[in-house]
Structures are given as C-alpha cells and as structure tokens.
Amino acid sequence: MTQSSDPLIIAGREFYSRLLVGTGKYADLEQTRAAVEASGAEIVTVAVRRTNIGQQADEANLLDYLDPARYTILPNTAGCFTAEDAVRTCRLARELGGWDLVKLEVLGDEKTLYPDLWETAKAAETLIAEGFQVMVYTMDDPIACKRFEEMGCAAVMPLAAPIGSGLGIQNRYNLRIILEQANVPILVDAGVGTASDVAVALELGCDGVLLNTAIAEAGDPVRMATAMRQGVEAGRNAYLAGRMSKRLYGSASSPLDGTFF
C-alpha cells in the first residue's frame, strides 16, 4: 500500500500525509520549519490571532519559513471564546491569504480549554454559509460530532484529551462510535502526547491526527516529529491490515499435530 493509493481527502482535496501539525510553542521559526519538515505533514495549522502571517510587516513572517506553495496553510481560531471572534478571525485569514479551508475552535473556558459547543455551532453555521470549508474541533461526543457533520463541516475533529495535556486517547469507545457513524473525515485533535497515541488513533480508524505541543515541547522536537510521522504510518497500515482477534487463552504459533517427536 503506497501513500498515493491511500489518500486523505478533505473538502475534495487529496493529501498523502495523515499527520497535521501546528506551529506554536517552538523555540524559534527555524525549529518550527525543521520539525514540520521532519513530520512529513502537508497541512500546517496556524493560529491567526497569535502568529504573523502578514498582519505585521515589521515582524518575522511564518510563511517565509513554511512555503504556502509546499504546505496547505490551515488557519485556526485558537484563542477565540465566542462565535463572533472565531468568524472574524476566519474572515481575516481569507483576506490575508485567500484561505477558505479553516480549523474552527471556540473554547469554553481557559482552564480546561474544552470547546463551547453552542458557540462553535453558531460559528460553523455562519462560516459554512459564507463558503468556508470548516474542520471543526469538538468534544469526543458522538452526538455532537454527527451534528457537525450534518451541518456541512468538511471534517470533524474530536479531542483525545484536553489541549496540550499529553494524556493521550482517553475514550476509545466514543471514538469508535464516532467513526462508525461518520461520512466525513474524523481526525483526532488535542491531547496527543507521543507516537504511540498517534498509532492508536490510526489503528482505531481515525483518518488523521492534528497535534502541536507533543512535538514542540519534546526534548528533541525534530526527532519527535519523525516519530509522529512513523506512528501515523504504522497505525494506518495496522488498521488497513486488520488486527488479529483477541483470545482469552493462548494459541500456539506452530501447529501441535504432525510434530517430529
């Protein structure tokens, strides 16, 4: 199975990496560039409210380090706590770079960083009506995920655990239900801590994973980015291969009958 024969399709666009990465929390923009390159990601998410992508002429521009001709820039609404702010941020992104594929997140409080589903839904409705392709960050709630799909979101992105926590996937059972009923890509977003978390998400059948802190706060971000890429590849291959069934008792690897003595 080659990458080209197993694309990730979001909003009609084909991608050949199932790892999406953020650009915050790195030591500097050069480290950002090196880590993104090592990850193999094609989609790079950018917090429009926190990162210069053209708003400030006198500051270093992230796009001088991450070429938009090479990467799909995915503006996100990180730091927004109301639907109004999120919509305004996406409109700014469209004005700056013509981007209409956006990651929508509207947070409910500063302690948990859980999404405010009511405000998120209001923002999603407005953005979709304005022609944006919305990838929506939400709780790992099967009902909410299905509602966002039915609204017309291009992808649904349930959290694995709170943003930046590194706790890994806390509810595999909800994810399985979300995946079972989905007709749009499902990507785990938030809470990933290490490569094994990524592999588990892909083994469950998730279409991809978006992460940032797990790479940026690693002791060696570039090496961790490589590990995350390998975790995605291993998890996807394991999912496509189909794992063996679990058994209560042992099962000999070699047949017991027909032995030589």
Side-chain angles (χ1 to χ4, degrees):
M1 175 69 68
T2 63
Q3 284 188 324
S4 60
S5 63
D6 181 36
L8 168 62
I9 300 175
I10 299 175
R13 312 180 198 186
E14 290 190 356
F15 302 95
Y16 300 100
S17 170
R18 293 175 180 271
L19 180 62
L20 292 69
V21 295
T23 52
K25 301 185 177 181
Y26 289 96
D28 52 43
L29 290 176
E30 178 54 34
Q31 187 183 71
T32 305
R33 183 206 60 75
V36 170
E37 184 172 346
S39 76
E42 296 171 272
I43 301 176
V44 179
T45 185
V46 177
V48 178
R49 293 166 64 93
R50 300 171 179 162
T51 307
N52 183 32
I53 50 175
Q55 308 97 306
Q56 300 293 330
D58 57 345
E59 294 183 9
N61 188 329
L62 177 68
L63 302 185
D64 291 334
Y65 292 81
L66 299 176
D67 184 358
R70 176 178 180 182
Y71 298 103
T72 293
I73 303 300
L74 179 66
N76 73 55
T77 60
C80 292
F81 289 83
T82 67
E84 182 180 3
D85 281 349
V87 169
R88 184 185 302 113
T89 300
C90 290
R91 288 170 178 163
L92 174 61
R94 176 181 271 175
E95 183 177 335
L96 284 170
W99 299 298
D100 59 4
L101 181 66
V102 295
K103 181 201 164 185
L104 171 64
E105 62 179 71
V106 185
L107 304 179
D109 68 81
E110 294 185 3
K111 183 175 181 179
T112 66
L113 301 181
Y114 281 148
D116 182 326
L117 298 184
W118 178 253
E119 290 294 302
T120 301
K122 288 198 295 183
E125 185 175 35
T126 299
L127 292 169
I128 291 167
E130 293 184 6
F132 286 93
Q133 298 286 346
V134 176
M135 299 173 65
V136 62
Y137 167 65
T138 181
M139 295 293 294
D140 55 347
D141 175 351
I143 304 302
C145 289
K146 192 62 181 176
R147 292 289 183 268
F148 283 121
E149 176 190 319
E150 291 170 345
M151 287 178 64
C153 290
V156 177
M157 308 177 74
L159 54 78
I163 292 172
S165 68
L167 291 172
I169 296 172
Q170 294 297 298
N171 196 332
R172 301 185 188 191
Y173 307 102
N174 274 20
L175 277 179
R176 288 176 62 184
I177 296 170
I178 291 166
L179 290 163
E180 183 179 274
Q181 66 186 11
N183 295 302
V184 296
I186 302 296
L187 298 92
V188 161
D189 179 14
V192 167
T194 190
S196 58
D197 300 329
V198 170
V200 167
L202 272 292
E203 287 173 5
L204 287 171
C206 293
D207 296 285
V209 173
L210 189 152
L211 55 85
N212 184 178
T213 306
I215 294 177
E217 292 191 357
D220 183 339
V222 175
R223 177 168 284 188
M224 182 59 81
T226 300
M228 294 299 189
R229 172 176 55 78
Q230 294 167 339
V232 165
E233 293 169 356
R236 181 63 177 177
N237 280 325
Y239 170 73
L240 294 175
R243 67 157 290 150
M244 62 169 285
S245 59
K246 296 182 179 180
R247 304 184 179 98
L248 181 60
Y249 298 104
S251 176
S253 297
S254 301
L256 296 178
D257 54 342
T259 57
F260 292 110
F261 56 87

